[in-house]
Amino acid sequence: VETIVKRFASGAMSYGSISLESHQTLAVAMNRIGGKSNTGEGGEDRRRYAVIKAGETLASRLGKDRVEADIVLKEGDSLKSKIKQVASGRFGVTSDYLVNADELQIKMAQGAKPGEGGQLPGHKVDKTIARVRHSTPYVGLISPAPHHDIYSIEDLAQLIHDLKNANSRARINVKLVAEVGVGTIAAGVAKAHADVILISGHDGGTGASPLSSIKHAGLPWELGLAEAHQVLMRNRLRDRVVLQTDGLIRTGRDVAIATLLGAEEWGIATGALIAMGCIMMRKCHLNTCPEGIATQDVELRRLFTGDPQHVVNFFHFIAQDLREHMARLGFRTVNEMVGRVDKLSPRGDVTHPKAQQLDLSSLLHLTRDSARSASYCCIPQEHGLEGALDNQLLRIAAPALEGREPVRAEIAIRNVNRSVGTMLGQEITRRFGALGLPDDTIRFKATGSAGQSLMAFTPRGLTLELEGEANDYFGKGLSGAKVILYPPRGARFDPNENTVCGNVALYGATSGRAFILGGAGERFCVRNSGAEVVVEGIGDHGCEYMTGGRVIILGGVGKNFAAGMSGGIAFIWDADGRSRARINPGMVDLEDLTDPADVAELRALIEEHARETNSGRAKRILSDWDAGLHRFIKVMPREYKRALAELAAETAA
């Protein structure tokens, strides 16, 4: 039983969807049994990472202003969620967040609402949630339906590679949903070098999922799991990946069936919530949970009575139940049991007329490939980190990593060098924590054409200056580093009229700075939540779903700029008068620059851009500053402006 419980994971529940107390209860319980809890989408407070000491309480660790109903802790307990989720919104996904994980889960979709994004209403975004999500209190948060850096299996393989570089010790998990054709997708995900594939069913899930989605979009986990296992077996891929499933698994019998259909790990969330006191009101989105579980309301959270030991007992009961089923079937270990659908048969006592028409032969088909490979994971994926350019960067940067000494070096870069800087950033974060190193402690001057995901998830203290060009995902998830890009000094083309970096630059950036001499592709700064960026022109859909930071565009923008933008500020130098018509007015207002603080901030960033890139356009704007200032458009999200006013009033009061 003690071995079995280590194979359990909690379902993905973010702090925001549920209260801090219930989130911590689940994390503590899963850590006690050696299983894994899942952060869900939304970041994690770094004060949860250290192990609990004697006499500590949740309130003493996280602050009494954040904890309403304390939970029972023991010395040696851990508050950390071992599985960190990376979802489409990239909320709270920093280098520190990624490094403090045993497993990183890419959430492609949710079983209860496949193909849909999510939304956390503004009244549930309190100051703590806003802090860990790098957003603004009281402003609603939108999770896009797609990941903007994933439009193919090759794109997914790149994100898997990025995350493995960001935390080489973690397993990379890809969450899929039970849908027709999921087997083919699972085969592609296995070839993209995922370590774990999760098949999520339509039952369970958040009580805020639309009923129409639960009833008509998702499918039971049994169908998706069986298809995924069979296709992976048929293509000799099953022994490379761990197959996991979830979606209202409640008993040891459910776990036994899941294992016989092909799963070697299992996720349980609803059952764990019920063990903590959930009474299934299914109004999680209304912030009125009477048990203090799915709410951020201070008074309701005081009603929470959950205890981590209740959850521990629940998982032990399920494991004991599974062990008894295994004994009756003649299995000594879970691995022996995986994929043995010959031990399953349809019930013969169901008399409903519609049930008589069901043909379960496809579901119960025993698949073996010609090579007779294992039906469970026994071969580790090859992630190719040994050949990364970062191994060279780590050797060069050793004085800074070991003694905080400044390091300066020049390197050559090619487009086969992917995720450059990410592995070095991982090491900086491991050694120096979330604050990293002082700015510019490590500075590399690179020359050439960079591959995808240059400086992805890199922390403070690292600066990379690139003379050349960069591919897609430039500065993805930037976490405090500085990255500078300009064309070759001897280039004959006008950088203002040419693109020097690809699509989806600065996606999900949380802090740091980027200066780009030239244009960037489409979906620039999508979900930026804190980075300060200067660029000289962008393509379509810039600053989508942005929630923080500053973006300055010294040139034209493409269509649909600022769609879904709920925070941060963008400044556009509209020299030809065309940009104004390309801005999506749904959530933003266009203002003139009248605030002296805005003017000072804008000028300081443009001056730094001119210094770092030698931009001729920036120098011309600065040379006649007062005359050119009226050409700037300030793009201000309405909800962000309202929330800032409320926060200022609170501070004054």
Side-chain angles (χ1 to χ4, degrees):
V1 168
E2 292 300 326
T3 302
I4 289 171
V5 292
K6 290 178 172 59
R7 293 178 179 250
F8 283 105
S10 75
M13 291 180 287
S14 66
Y15 173 49
S17 299
I18 63 176
S19 68
L20 173 62
E21 292 81 6
S22 50
H23 204 280
Q24 290 292 200
T25 299
L26 193 54
V28 169
M30 298 308 294
N31 289 332
R32 283 183 187 175
I33 66 173
K36 299 182 179 75
S37 74
N38 191 320
T39 59
E41 180 178 12
E44 186 173 53
D45 192 327
R46 71 174 328 273
R47 286 174 293 186
R48 293 170 54 168
Y49 298 156
V51 173
I52 291 293
K53 299 175 183 176
E56 265 196 304
T57 66
L58 186 64
S60 66
R61 171 61 65 85
L62 299 182
K64 292 182 180 179
D65 58 326
R66 278 172 276 280
V67 178
E68 300 302 332
D70 221 342
I71 63 174
V72 180
L73 297 177
K74 300 176 182 177
E75 184 177 2
D77 275 341
S78 172
L79 307 176
K80 180 175 74 173
S81 289
K82 293 181 181 177
I83 303 175
K84 302 290 197 296
Q85 196 172 78
V86 179
S88 60
R90 306 289 161 95
F91 293 113
V93 179
T94 65
S95 177
D96 190 46
Y97 173 83
L98 297 174
V99 161
N100 285 283
D102 293 358
E103 188 167 312
L104 299 172
Q105 183 180 86
I106 302 170
K107 174 190 168 185
M108 295 301 296
Q110 185 174 324
K113 48 178 180 179
E116 297 183 36
Q119 186 168 3
L120 187 64
H123 61 263
K124 293 189 76 172
V125 183
D126 64 18
K127 292 180 180 179
T128 306
I129 294 173
R131 180 171 51 81
V132 298
R133 290 195 174 202
H134 295 262
S135 64
T136 307
Y138 318 130
V139 175
L141 299 173
I142 301 169
S143 301
H147 289 253
H148 285 302
D149 55 350
I150 302 176
Y151 287 90
S152 66
I153 289 293
E154 290 78 13
D155 291 340
L156 175 61
Q158 179 59 47
L159 180 55
I160 291 170
H161 186 69
D162 295 338
L163 295 178
K164 195 67 179 180
N165 276 268
N167 185 348
S168 55
R169 303 175 191 174
R171 299 195 306 180
I172 309 301
N173 179 324
V174 177
K175 180 178 181 178
L176 306 176
V177 298
E179 279 286 353
V180 175
V182 71
T184 303
I185 302 300
V189 171
K191 292 177 182 178
H193 305 292
D195 300 303
V196 185
I197 297 175
L198 167 60
I199 305 296
S200 184
H202 74 302
D203 276 325
T206 174
S209 294
L211 192 61
S212 58
S213 300
I214 297 171
K215 284 182 172 293
H216 304 296
L219 293 176
W221 56 261
E222 293 91 338
L223 297 177
L225 173 61
E227 180 181 338
H229 177 74
Q230 291 176 27
V231 172
L232 290 171
M233 287 292 294
R234 202 173 298 131
N235 288 277
R236 303 184 187 180
L237 296 167
R238 182 63 185 85
D239 53 6
R240 295 191 200 177
V241 293
V242 172
L243 200 53
Q244 190 182 104
T245 195
D246 67 20
L248 207 59
I249 292 175
R250 292 168 289 189
T251 65
R253 181 178 181 274
D254 291 340
V255 176
I257 292 172
T259 308
L260 295 172
L261 287 174
E264 63 216 86
E265 293 184 3
W266 323 278
I268 298 179
T270 302
L273 286 177
I274 290 172
M276 290 192 291
C278 171
I279 57 174
M280 298 289 285
M281 292 293 287
R282 285 206 174 272
K283 55 177 185 176
C284 311
H285 59 299
L286 298 179
N287 207 33
T288 57
C289 173
E291 298 299 317
I293 292 176
T295 178
Q296 304 306 324
D297 185 278
V298 172
E299 296 302 321
L300 292 174
R301 283 169 57 190
R302 293 195 178 109
L303 302 176
F304 180 73
T305 57
D307 186 326
Q309 197 57 41
H310 297 167
V311 182
V312 169
N313 295 342
F314 169 72
F315 277 100
H316 274 94
F317 292 150
I318 290 182
Q320 179 63 37
D321 190 8
L322 171 63
R323 190 67 192 86
E324 293 171 7
H325 283 290
M326 291 170 65
R328 284 194 289 270
L329 292 168
F331 294 113
R332 293 167 299 171
T333 67
V334 171
N335 286 348
E336 290 177 12
M337 190 179 180
V338 175
R340 289 293 303 275
V341 290
D342 54 306
K343 297 293 185 179
L344 290 170
S345 60
R347 287 175 53 180
D349 60 346
V350 181
T351 58
H352 194 284
K354 289 185 178 180
Q356 303 299 318
Q357 307 301 316
L358 287 176
D359 179 4
L360 299 181
S361 59
S362 296
L363 186 72
L364 302 179
H365 176 68
L366 181 62
T367 304
R368 296 189 185 278
D369 66 31
S370 58
R372 300 278 175 174
S373 64
S375 60
Y376 58 90
C377 182
C378 55
I379 301 174
Q381 289 278 26
E382 178 53 63
H383 290 278
L385 301 187
E386 299 79 11
L389 180 61
D390 271 51
N391 293 307
Q392 176 186 340
L393 302 187
L394 283 164
R395 289 191 293 270
I396 297 171
L401 296 173
E402 295 167 6
R404 295 175 177 261
E405 298 177 17
V407 170
R408 302 288 182 269
E410 295 189 8
I411 59 171
I413 197 168
R414 298 171 55 208
N415 60 9
V416 296
N417 302 131
R418 300 182 296 153
S419 310
V420 172
T422 305
M423 202 185 302
L424 173 56
Q426 170 195 179
E427 193 60 31
I428 293 172
T429 303
R430 285 196 191 283
R431 293 178 184 238
F432 305 107
L435 296 178
L437 289 165
D439 290 335
D440 292 326
T441 300
I442 304 171
R443 184 167 183 133
F444 289 105
K445 164 69 186 301
T447 306
S449 179
Q452 293 178 330
S453 300
L454 178 70
M455 295 285 281
F457 307 111
T458 42
R460 181 171 173 257
L462 177 59
T463 299
L464 189 140
E465 175 185 346
L466 173 60
E467 181 177 347
E469 59 186 359
N471 250 293
D472 294 343
Y473 320 136
F474 169 90
K476 175 197 295 186
L478 197 69
S479 298
K482 183 193 293 185
V483 57
I484 301 149
L485 172 61
Y486 51 83
R489 294 301 190 192
R492 297 182 180 180
F493 60 82
D494 182 357
N496 301 135
E497 303 299 329
N498 289 271
T499 299
V500 294
C501 74
N503 296 324
V504 202
L506 284 304
Y507 177 29
T510 55
S511 58
R513 291 186 173 185
F515 302 100
I516 303 169
L517 175 57
E522 297 185 359
R523 303 194 185 279
F524 184 81
C525 272
V526 172
R527 271 293 303 114
N528 175 33
S529 61
E532 296 175 325
V533 184
V534 184
V535 65
E536 304 203 356
I538 62 172
D540 297 338
H541 315 295
C543 296
E544 273 189 310
Y545 306 110
M546 182 166 142
T547 60
R550 299 291 183 267
V551 175
I552 299 169
I553 300 115
L554 302 180
V557 302
K559 63 184 180 184
N560 202 37
F561 183 87
M565 180 178 173
S566 61
I569 303 173
F571 301 97
I572 303 172
W573 191 63
D574 189 22
D576 57 10
R578 298 179 183 177
S579 295
R580 190 177 293 268
R582 296 171 179 169
I583 298 170
N584 187 319
M587 296 180 66
V588 300
D589 291 322
L590 308 184
E591 302 177 356
D592 295 327
L593 267 75
T594 56
D595 186 342
D598 285 340
V599 174
E601 183 177 38
L602 176 65
R603 178 159 191 158
L605 284 170
I606 295 175
E607 286 174 345
E608 188 172 358
H609 177 67
R611 285 196 305 272
E612 297 287 9
T613 67
N614 199 33
S615 166
R617 176 171 290 179
K619 290 178 180 178
R620 287 193 297 273
I621 293 171
L622 291 168
S623 67
D624 196 3
W625 179 251
D626 293 333
L629 193 60
H630 72 278
R631 294 186 177 181
F632 278 98
I633 302 170
K634 178 183 177 182
V635 182
M636 186 69 173
R638 284 187 285 274
E639 285 296 293
Y640 182 60
K641 187 174 183 177
R642 175 193 57 77
L644 291 179
E646 288 183 14
L647 291 169
E650 285 183 15
T651 302

